[in-house]
Amino acid sequence: MATLKDVARLAGVSVKTVSNVVNGYSFVKPDNRRRVEEALEATGYRPNLGARNLRRGRTGFIALVLPELSIPYFAELAGLVIAAAQEHEWNVLIEQTFGTLSGERQALASLGPHLVDAAILSPEALQVEDFQLSVPAVLLGEHDVEVPISRVGIDNVAAAMTAVRHLISLGRTRIAAIGAHPQRGTAALRLEGYRAALEEAGLPFVSSLVVPAVNYHRADGAAAMRALLDLRNPPDAVFCFNDLLAVGAMRTAAERFVRVPHDLAIVGFDNNDESAYSSPSLTSVAPDKAAIARAAVDLLRQRADSPDLALDDVQTPFSLQVRESTVAR
Amino acid sequence: MATLKDVARLAGVSVKTVSNVVNGYSFVKPDNRRRVEEALEATGYRPNLGARNLRRGRTGFIALVLPELSIPYFAELAGLVIAAAQEHEWNVLIEQTFGTLSGERQALASLGPHLVDAAILSPEALQVEDFQLSVPAVLLGEHDVEVPISRVGIDNVAAAMTAVRHLISLGRTRIAAIGAHPQRGTAALRLEGYRAALEEAGLPFVSSLVVPAVNYHRADGAAAMRALLDLRNPPDAVFCFNDLLAVGAMRTAAERFVRVPHDLAIVGFDNNDESAYSSPSLTSVAPDKAAIARAAVDLLRQRADSPDLALDDVQTPFSLQVRESTVAR
DNA sequence: CATCGTTGTTCCAACGATGTAAAGACCGTG
DNA sequence: CACGGTCTTTACATCGTTGGAACAACGATG
């Protein structure tokens, strides 16, 4: 592999001059520039990023800390983050925490400043005291605890209200919620939105219609739905806190011969790609994932360049994708 | 951020002694070792990976080049590769090619030896002449062209035969195939297996029942299924070359009121997580993704340590997950 | 023609870690 | 107590790059 030295020898100039050409420094004689460029071409020179970053004090990487890539929402988001990072000449390092506190702590611990320039975090269990980071970071999604980190995400309360209002507008009155979770900040906010929409419509808040979910996997949605259908007075609609839960719920409904959407309307959250193709297709709250990815990376780029910018809180847009899983009674 | 120098000063020893302690060199006096360890603890020292790798000539990264993270198969695989790489102290850099030749060439070009120690490739369009790599690499999946690179994957012909034999054993006789593709090596192999299974059973090969797919997305499966249902004599079973195509096909069937599995049995390929939760759930060829990830990383570790090991071709196991989408006539 | 500013180039040091060689400490032995 | 051999530590160079200072060349200016 060719180094600057090799190129310099071939072009008959100093190493620094080659470096200047590579980095687009203006004052290089046309003649030398040509010779250097020819030598670069001839040797197929590619800068050694390790060395460059050692010298510059940057690494060229950002970390993306998320629960699990096998969860479609995070996979889709990761793809978008990678694309957005590329435009800032950043490479993305993905760390999976599997949603556990220890996994998250471990991921954070490995985020020394020599490994990454910045980090995008999507934690589920972290405590306030864990957020002692040595690099600029941004939190994806809202959390109910106050942490000294910038955030990017949608307004979860408003989004949940939109979903539940939609169900109410269809004449549904016994609306369940799947996905309550004592630790998750977003869960608390979505529950708050659910509650607010019910209240607004004068519907009672029935605690037996609120089902927790340990994880947010399909199996958890299926189990929660079983519990709901076993109630003496089952719901006529369900608001699921993510699409996987909704898919699980739909599966249980099908097994129990409960007709979706007629007997049971279902709304999900995240608008996964798969949700447009289920039968029936799933109505879902659709955060603008590309906007989230872009905003997060942009925010980090700014913080990486000037570290003491104030905290920011970027609200990205969302919409409600109405599909077959919700119709009027 | 503390460096070896800081630790050395604090412990009252030379930089190299600290380095020796950090790297587990045996001959350090207990007394010094203790002092160094205390100093390491006190300063919270973490090695600068850039510098270490510059010196050692390795980067600590491997590349995972794949079409798109939003495709569940690759997302699941990526998660497993990351986990497997972690055990070898490798970080994974994901590059998306979006299945285009230019995207793949670009990804390959960026794989200089100073960026990554090795690479895992999942190409779709690359030509033989593109495989001039400067780092050890392994190809995921089989390809019909011969390339001088080690491979890891299942036996696609056998897997396809297993799927089609299953349909035949259920009494299906007009079996379609969705996913033919002129460029993709795996497509050719799966088609070969499809053909072989038909022949073995004495069933005719009907070319109108073989539908190509440009991409392997859900929409392509839906479109292909529409074409099949428009035939004068539509199929009673479909073998889809991946689960996304199968999900699309199921969706079209539902829209057209074709009953799956009774009127139409469907088999997919990849066994995505979502396939267990569709209604009906999807029978699918299930490659052992964890085994693939592990084998690929292990193989690269060996090649990284001793670069001139011979080419290898690891066959990983697969099974057929029979679910609701296939029953006897 | 001495001086100056501009332009272009080179030399040197540094980023933080590690391999090498050599020096130093320490032991037992003759 | 000099010697050799085994531990233990250190100084130094080095990986490939870039920032800064120094230097060199140049025409223009007074």
Side-chain angles (χ1 to χ4, degrees):
Chain A
M1 203 64 196
T3 71
L4 281 185
K5 211 158 130 189
D6 303 324
V7 179
R9 187 166 30 229
L10 186 60
V13 296
S14 78
V15 171
K16 189 67 211 292
T17 297
V18 180
S19 170
N20 284 339
V21 170
V22 170
N23 292 295
Y25 181 70
S26 320
F27 303 121
V28 178
K29 267 199 191 146
D31 184 46
N32 275 345
R33 178 177 298 268
R34 189 184 45 72
R35 290 229 309 289
V36 169
E37 275 164 355
E38 278 170 16
L40 284 172
E41 182 66 29
T43 54
Y45 170 80
R46 323 254 356 222
N48 180 322
L49 298 184
R52 170 180 283 178
N53 293 329
L54 171 61
R55 184 63 246 237
R56 288 190 180 162
R58 331 255 233 70
T59 71
F61 295 102
I62 60 174
L64 175 58
V65 179
L66 43 76
E68 212 174 330
L69 269 183
S70 64
I71 297 176
Y73 175 74
F74 291 111
E76 294 173 24
L77 193 67
L80 294 165
V81 167
I82 290 175
Q86 214 151 39
E87 298 182 4
H88 292 282
E89 301 195 301
W90 260 333
N91 276 112
V92 179
L93 263 164
I94 296 176
E95 307 243 12
Q96 299 184 102
T97 67
F98 301 98
T100 63
L101 183 55
S102 68
E104 294 183 347
R105 289 211 167 123
Q106 208 178 321
L108 250 57
S110 77
L111 258 52
H114 348 274
L115 190 57
V116 295
D117 297 332
I120 300 177
L121 310 174
S122 202
E124 293 189 341
L126 281 179
Q127 317 289 316
V128 186
E129 65 267 25
D130 289 318
F131 290 93
Q132 302 296 335
L133 292 171
S134 47
V135 294
V138 57
L139 223 56
L140 294 191
E142 293 174 299
H143 293 261
D144 47 356
V145 290
E146 278 294 321
V147 290
I149 297 202
S150 292
R151 298 184 305 187
V152 169
I154 66 172
D155 179 339
N156 276 278
V157 177
M161 283 186 77
T162 305
V164 177
R165 273 185 192 136
H166 169 63
L167 292 171
I168 293 171
S169 76
L170 298 174
R172 310 283 168 166
T173 53
R174 284 188 61 78
I175 302 174
I178 296 180
H181 195 289
Q183 246 90 63
R184 291 190 205 207
T186 47
L189 295 166
R190 288 175 197 179
L191 191 60
E192 188 184 325
Y194 162 81
R195 202 164 188 153
L198 291 184
E199 190 166 351
E200 178 187 70
L203 291 173
F205 175 85
V206 184
S207 64
S208 63
L209 288 180
V210 175
V211 188
V214 188
N215 289 301
Y216 274 28
H217 291 177
R218 297 177 186 88
D220 302 297
M225 194 70 231
R226 279 192 289 273
L228 284 172
L229 294 180
D230 286 340
L231 288 178
R232 196 158 354 124
N233 200 352
D236 61 3
V238 197
F239 169 41
C240 297
F241 288 6
N242 80 357
D243 275 9
L244 292 188
L245 291 171
V247 166
M250 291 217 297
R251 171 74 203 171
T252 292
E255 283 169 4
R256 299 281 185 101
F257 303 106
V258 171
R259 290 171 304 167
V260 176
H262 189 263
D263 299 337
L264 183 73
I266 300 189
V267 179
F269 204 113
D270 285 350
N271 193 34
N272 293 344
D273 288 347
E274 75 183 81
S275 302
Y277 279 86
S278 57
S279 299
S281 57
L282 182 67
T283 295
S284 185
V285 175
D288 186 338
K289 293 172 204 136
I292 293 175
R294 226 177 309 112
V297 174
D298 287 351
L299 197 146
L300 288 183
R301 167 50 69 198
Q302 291 167 18
R303 297 300 183 289
D305 293 342
S306 33
D308 355 86
L309 282 178
L311 292 189
D312 203 351
D313 192 341
V314 182
Q315 294 252 343
T316 51
F318 68 90
S319 60
L320 183 73
Q321 277 289 332
V322 179
R323 300 205 182 88
E324 298 164 354
S325 68
T326 52
V327 296
R329 289 232 66 159
Chain B
M1 202 65 196
T3 70
L4 281 186
K5 210 157 131 191
D6 303 324
V7 180
R9 186 162 33 224
L10 186 61
V13 296
S14 78
V15 171
K16 190 66 213 294
T17 297
V18 180
S19 169
N20 285 339
V21 170
V22 170
N23 292 295
Y25 182 68
S26 320
F27 302 122
V28 179
K29 270 204 189 142
D31 184 47
N32 275 345
R33 179 178 298 266
R34 191 185 43 73
R35 292 230 306 291
V36 169
E37 274 164 356
E38 279 170 17
L40 284 171
E41 183 66 27
T43 54
Y45 170 80
R46 321 256 357 223
N48 180 322
L49 298 183
R52 169 179 285 178
N53 292 329
L54 170 60
R55 188 60 245 244
R56 287 192 181 160
R58 332 258 229 70
T59 71
F61 294 101
I62 60 174
L64 174 59
V65 179
L66 43 76
E68 214 174 328
L69 269 182
S70 65
I71 296 175
Y73 174 74
F74 291 111
E76 293 174 25
L77 192 68
L80 294 164
V81 167
I82 290 175
Q86 213 150 39
E87 298 182 5
H88 292 281
E89 301 196 300
W90 260 334
N91 275 112
V92 179
L93 263 164
I94 296 176
E95 307 244 11
Q96 300 184 101
T97 66
F98 300 98
T100 62
L101 183 56
S102 69
E104 294 183 347
R105 289 212 166 121
Q106 210 177 319
L108 250 58
S110 78
L111 257 52
H114 10 261
L115 189 57
V116 295
D117 296 332
I120 299 176
L121 310 175
S122 201
E124 293 189 340
L126 280 180
Q127 317 289 316
V128 187
E129 65 267 23
D130 290 318
F131 288 93
Q132 301 296 334
L133 292 172
S134 46
V135 293
V138 56
L139 224 56
L140 294 189
E142 294 173 300
H143 291 261
D144 47 357
V145 290
E146 277 295 319
V147 290
I149 298 202
S150 292
R151 298 184 305 187
V152 169
I154 66 173
D155 179 342
N156 276 279
V157 177
M161 282 187 77
T162 303
V164 177
R165 273 186 193 138
H166 170 63
L167 291 171
I168 293 171
S169 77
L170 297 175
R172 309 285 170 166
T173 53
R174 283 188 62 78
I175 302 174
I178 296 181
H181 196 289
Q183 247 89 63
R184 291 190 206 208
T186 47
L189 294 167
R190 288 175 196 179
L191 192 59
E192 189 184 325
Y194 162 80
R195 205 163 184 155
L198 290 185
E199 191 166 347
E200 179 185 67
L203 290 173
F205 175 85
V206 183
S207 64
S208 63
L209 289 180
V210 175
V211 189
V214 189
N215 289 300
Y216 274 28
H217 291 178
R218 298 178 186 85
D220 303 297
M225 193 72 233
R226 278 193 288 274
L228 284 172
L229 292 180
D230 285 341
L231 288 178
R232 197 157 355 119
N233 199 353
D236 59 4
V238 196
F239 169 41
C240 298
F241 288 6
N242 81 356
D243 275 9
L244 291 188
L245 291 171
V247 166
M250 291 217 297
R251 172 74 204 169
T252 293
E255 283 169 3
R256 298 278 186 100
F257 303 107
V258 172
R259 290 171 303 167
V260 176
H262 190 264
D263 299 338
L264 185 72
I266 301 190
V267 178
F269 204 113
D270 286 348
N271 193 35
N272 293 344
D273 288 345
E274 74 182 85
S275 302
Y277 280 85
S278 57
S279 298
S281 58
L282 182 66
T283 295
S284 185
V285 175
D288 186 339
K289 291 169 206 143
I292 293 175
R294 228 176 309 112
V297 174
D298 288 350
L299 197 146
L300 288 183
R301 167 49 71 199
Q302 291 168 17
R303 297 300 184 288
D305 292 342
S306 32
D308 348 275
L309 282 178
L311 292 188
D312 202 350
D313 192 341
V314 181
Q315 295 251 344
T316 51
F318 68 89
S319 61
L320 183 72
Q321 277 290 332
V322 179
R323 299 204 183 87
E324 298 164 353
S325 69
T326 52
V327 295
R329 290 234 65 160

